[in-house]
């Protein structure tokens, strides 16, 4: 079905469409609509080449092969840190409450290797975002890092070869590293919050810049998002040629979308992935979760997923600024594109949303460009390994 889209004539953006390249942006207007094609769900505990398919936290389409890459944030618990190559036949996606997994075919699984070779040890890495750089034949991926009673680990952005072997590491500023208490709320604490750090990667349309972002703010910048307040995420850029960090921008995360069913229940909202569609212009995913929340008009999975247009061209460059507390910053401008919790299937059922953590520009389908999303089931039988396809209709 057709989803509500807000025209963006005031955002100084125009999008051109191509079958083989990402969306490009320039000019002074945008007016496009997204329509829901369908979704497919991979059954819980599906096995492929000795691994459990799950934890899919990114998605990137390779037009040269027609296949996708997706990383598993397994943390090396049920198998090695790994990524899959798969194909998706959008013509077999279903707009129904029980879609199945027809057209979802896994082809290969590759172990991500440490600097000196070999698989990562259990709980030593948390793979999240991944992008394929076709111009350099390299794969970029990020480790979210850790801040917990089990230890601290700085977030990282790395480059690997197609066989999973390590190639190099990008230079992340030191103020992202966790220091202080393991809860991150005491005086003097700084760096990432646990499980709220590097979740996403995007490559600029000219192929020169790699972007990542924290899911919520750094400890010294703002508290995590709650039902009452948002958080100040940082978008961090790298020069791909040198590996050095560059400009940083503040992206305001919205408050948690719905209250939990019980007082004090777990709730979060965060920037889970994004794609570049122009010069410092992105489509972002904000994925909100509230434990056992009943979402009006939607299926009660607890997840709310919203896509935004985000423009950083006029945002303050805060690179090198270790703390943004009490500072007035011009943030990235945002416009809501669609709230996926409003979508319904052709059979009238609400689209049950998974933990959407990956986005890519997909192939041409029925003569239109597409966006494809993936959900991370967290290896939880109550969550979904889900692919959602959206059609881009240009006016």
């Amino acid at each position: 079905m057709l989803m509500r889209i807000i025209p963006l004539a005031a955002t100084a953006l125009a999008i051109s469409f191509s079958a083989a390249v990402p969306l490009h942006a320039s000019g002074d207007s945008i007016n496009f609509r997204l329509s829901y094609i369908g979704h497919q769900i991979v059954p819980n505990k599906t096995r492929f080449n000795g691994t459990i398919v799950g934890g899919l936290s990114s998605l990137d389409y390779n037009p040269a092969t027609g296949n996708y890459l997706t990383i598993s944030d397994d943390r090396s618990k049920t198998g090695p840190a790994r990524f899959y190559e798969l194909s998706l036949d959008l013509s077999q996606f279903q707009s129904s409450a029980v879609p199945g997994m027809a057209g979802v075919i896994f082809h290969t699984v590759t172990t991500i290797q440490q600097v000196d070779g070999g698989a990562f040890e259990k709980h030593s890495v948390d793979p999240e975002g991944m992008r394929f750089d076709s111009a350099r034949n390299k794969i970029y991926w990020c480790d979210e890092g850790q801040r917990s009673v089990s230890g601290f680990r700085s977030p990282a952005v790395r480059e690997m070869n197609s066989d999973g072997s390590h190639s190099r590491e990008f230079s992340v500023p030191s103020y992202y590293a966790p220091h202080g208490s393991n809860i991150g709320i005491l005086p003097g604490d700084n760096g990432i919050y646990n499980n709220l750090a590097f979740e996403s990667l995007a490559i600029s349309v000219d192929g020169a810049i790699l972007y990542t972002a924290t899911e919520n703010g750094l400890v010294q910048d703002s508290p995590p998002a709650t039902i009452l307040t948002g958080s100040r995420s940082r978008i961090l850029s790298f020069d791909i040629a040198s590996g050095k960090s560059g400009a940083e921008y503040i992206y305001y995360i919205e408050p948690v979308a719905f209250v939990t069913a019980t007082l004090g229940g777990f709730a979060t909202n965060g920037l889970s992935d994004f794609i570049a569609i122009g010069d410092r212009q992105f489509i972002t995913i904000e994925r909100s979760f509230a434990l056992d929340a009943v979402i009006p008009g939607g299926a009660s999975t607890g997840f709310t997923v919203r896509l935004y247009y985000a423009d950083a061209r006029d945002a303050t460059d805060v690179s090198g600024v270790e703390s943004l507390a009490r500072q007035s910053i011009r943030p990235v401008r945002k416009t809501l594109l669609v709230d996926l919790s409003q979508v319904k299937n052709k059979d009238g059922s609400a689209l049950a949303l998974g933990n959407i953590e990956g986005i890519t520009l997909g192939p041409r389908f029925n003569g239109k460009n597409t966006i494809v999303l993936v959900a991370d089931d967290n290896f939880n039988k109550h969550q979904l390994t889900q692919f959602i396809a959206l059609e881009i209709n240009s006016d």
Side-chain angles (χ1 to χ4, degrees), residues 92-108:
Q92 298 194 59
F93 276 41
Q94 300 295 311
S95 180
S96 69
V98 188
M101 66 169 291
V104 181
I105 301 173
F106 289 85
H107 299 293
T108 64

Side-chain angles (χ1 to χ4, degrees), residues 274-341:
F274 58 167
I275 49 174
I277 60 170
D279 175 23
R280 291 162 289 170
Q281 297 156 289
F282 309 92
I283 294 176
T284 64
I285 301 171
E286 288 191 37
R287 179 264 295 113
S288 177
F289 176 75
L291 184 64
D292 296 326
V294 177
I295 299 171
S300 297
T301 63
F303 290 103
T304 303
V305 178
R306 293 167 176 164
L307 302 186
Y308 289 87
Y309 162 69
D311 187 348
R313 288 175 297 173
D314 295 325
T316 304
D317 179 0
V318 297
S319 56
V321 181
E322 296 192 12
S323 174
L324 304 176
R326 295 177 295 279
Q327 293 199 36
S328 178
I329 301 294
R330 187 167 61 250
V332 173
R333 289 188 291 120
K334 295 167 45 181
T335 303
L336 178 66
L337 294 176
V338 64
D339 184 339
L340 290 176
S341 65

Side-chain angles (χ1 to χ4, degrees), residues 8 35 113 122 133-134 160-161 167 199 205 221 229 252 262 293 307 317 364:
L8 302 179
S35 57
Q113 299 178 38
K122 188 175 182 179
D133 186 338
S134 59
M160 63 179 161
N161 301 307
S167 180
E199 192 85 15
V205 295
D221 292 341
T229 61
Y252 275 104
T262 58
L307 302 186
D317 179 0
R364 298 280 286 185

Side-chain angles (χ1 to χ4, degrees), residues 196-200 212-216 233-235 251 253 269-274 283-287 356:
L196 292 173
F198 292 167
E199 192 85 15
S200 52
T212 188
T214 54
E215 191 173 345
N216 271 210
S233 168
R234 291 198 188 212
I235 294 176
Y251 176 99
I253 304 294
N269 188 34
L271 173 57
S272 62
D273 204 6
F274 58 167
I283 294 176
T284 64
I285 301 171
E286 288 191 37
R287 179 264 295 113
I356 301 294

Side-chain angles (χ1 to χ4, degrees), residues 198-277:
F198 292 167
E199 192 85 15
S200 52
L201 286 175
I203 299 175
S204 63
V205 295
D206 65 3
I209 304 296
L210 180 66
Y211 296 94
T212 188
T214 54
E215 191 173 345
N216 271 210
L218 298 178
V219 170
Q220 63 268 30
D221 292 341
S222 67
T226 68
I227 193 65
L228 299 176
T229 61
S231 190
R232 302 170 98 185
S233 168
R234 291 198 188 212
I235 294 176
L236 170 64
S237 69
F238 301 93
D239 175 72
I240 292 179
S242 68
K244 295 181 179 179
S245 62
E248 293 178 59
Y249 308 105
I250 295 305
Y251 176 99
Y252 275 104
I253 304 294
E254 299 299 313
V256 176
F258 294 97
V259 298
T260 58
T262 58
L263 184 64
F266 178 73
T268 186
N269 188 34
L271 173 57
S272 62
D273 204 6
F274 58 167
I275 49 174
I277 60 170

